[in-house]
Amino acid sequence: GQSLEQPSEVTAVEGAIVQINCTYQTSGFYGLSWYQQHDGGAPTFLSYNGLDGLEETGRFSSFLSRSDSYGYLLLQELQMKDSASYFCAVRGDYGQNFVFGPGTRLSVLP
Amino acid sequence: DTGVSQDPRHKITKRGQNVTFRCDPISEHNRLYWYRQTLGQGPEFLTYFQNEAQLEKSRLLSDRFSAERPKGSFSTLEIQRTEQGDSAMYLCASSSSEGGPSYGYTFGSGTRLTVV
């Protein structure tokens, strides 16, 4: 099976940088994804790391270390609209589905 | 394309009733997934279709749950004899086998089920 751990809440101020960590346990690893979900909204795909290292997409970056079973999402130049829940996800036992972590609620303060 | 559409957005039903939800995926996507999400938790995988074939089912999907995807287009998820524990947001997502995992899933806005 798979299990993922994330901090439940993170708070930061506008303009700051915040890092959301994710540790995972899985029998077979096929990549780590990140999703953003605003209250009442649909999860939205942010990034995918299949190999070790940093992937950058605008203000968001995601990092993976397969040897440490660890990844993080880095959000720079925080904006109020970044207040949302962020989920990491790994491929599940079934192959094509993703197993999601419990989520980290990010609050951006003015 | 308007993305993934789910209907209805909200459903309130009495315990013991049957309910059916519909999902219309992005037309070019051949893979379709159903997830369930409760408040403060991440989405939990229920089942997965590639075209019209249901290839994977979670053990969370009891025999009261059934899903179909006739003709490989829209999908329905039916819950029979609903229980209060079924109250949750039911999310549908789609993806293309051509794109690979780096493109992620596209989720719909979900159907919120409340069983009273």
Side-chain angles (χ1 to χ4, degrees):
Chain A
Q2 293 76 30
S3 68
L4 300 100
E5 290 189 6
Q6 303 178 235
S8 58
E9 294 183 2
V10 173
T11 301
V13 297
E14 261 188 308
I17 299 172
V18 72
Q19 179 174 311
I20 299 174
N21 298 321
C22 173
T23 56
Y24 59 85
Q25 290 185 331
T26 179
S27 50
F29 181 74
Y30 303 98
L32 183 72
S33 296
W34 288 92
Y35 285 77
Q36 177 192 61
Q37 186 178 32
H38 289 98
D39 286 347
T44 302
F45 174 73
L46 292 177
S47 68
Y48 170 78
N49 294 73
L51 300 174
D52 290 353
L54 193 68
E55 296 282 341
E56 297 180 68
T57 308
R59 293 187 298 114
F60 293 2
S61 302
S62 57
F63 172 82
L64 174 66
S65 169
R66 288 175 293 173
S67 60
D68 295 321
S69 298
Y70 164 75
Y72 67 72
L73 181 69
L74 191 73
L75 297 84
Q76 302 181 72
E77 301 172 15
L78 281 174
Q79 302 175 9
M80 297 294 289
K81 67 178 182 179
D82 297 330
S83 292
S85 292
Y86 293 83
F87 299 92
C88 58
V90 294
R91 284 277 191 94
D93 285 333
Y94 301 101
Q96 295 304 326
N97 69 295
F98 274 83
V99 175
F100 285 77
T104 298
R105 188 172 184 86
L106 171 64
S107 299
V108 180
L109 305 178
Chain B
D1 200 328
T2 56
V4 178
S5 300
Q6 292 189 245
D7 183 69
R9 290 296 308 275
H10 303 275
K11 178 71 176 178
I12 300 174
T13 191
K14 292 183 179 179
R15 186 165 51 94
Q17 297 293 305
N18 299 344
V19 294
T20 300
F21 310 141
R22 177 180 170 121
C23 171
D24 287 89
I26 291 175
S27 55
E28 309 86 72
H29 287 178
N30 59 340
R31 291 177 173 166
L32 185 147
Y33 313 80
W34 285 98
Y35 280 78
R36 180 173 67 188
Q37 185 176 30
T38 53
L39 196 63
Q41 300 298 315
E44 294 176 300
F45 171 72
L46 294 178
T47 190
Y48 152 64
F49 290 84
Q50 177 148 322
N51 300 312
E52 67 277 6
Q54 186 175 19
L55 298 185
E56 296 162 1
K57 291 171 63 174
S58 165
R59 58 182 178 275
L60 291 176
L61 211 66
S62 76
D63 56 4
R64 296 185 298 106
F65 288 70
S66 62
E68 294 182 341
R69 193 184 182 196
K71 304 178 183 178
S73 55
F74 72 92
S75 175
T76 57
L77 178 69
E78 181 183 18
I79 309 174
Q80 297 183 325
R81 305 181 302 283
T82 53
E83 302 172 356
Q84 287 191 322
D86 297 331
S87 296
M89 177 73 83
Y90 290 83
L91 293 164
C92 176
S94 67
S95 70
S96 170
S97 57
E98 301 293 322
S102 60
Y103 290 85
Y105 294 170
T106 301
F107 277 90
S109 296
T111 293
R112 179 166 296 284
L113 173 66
T114 303
V115 182
V116 298

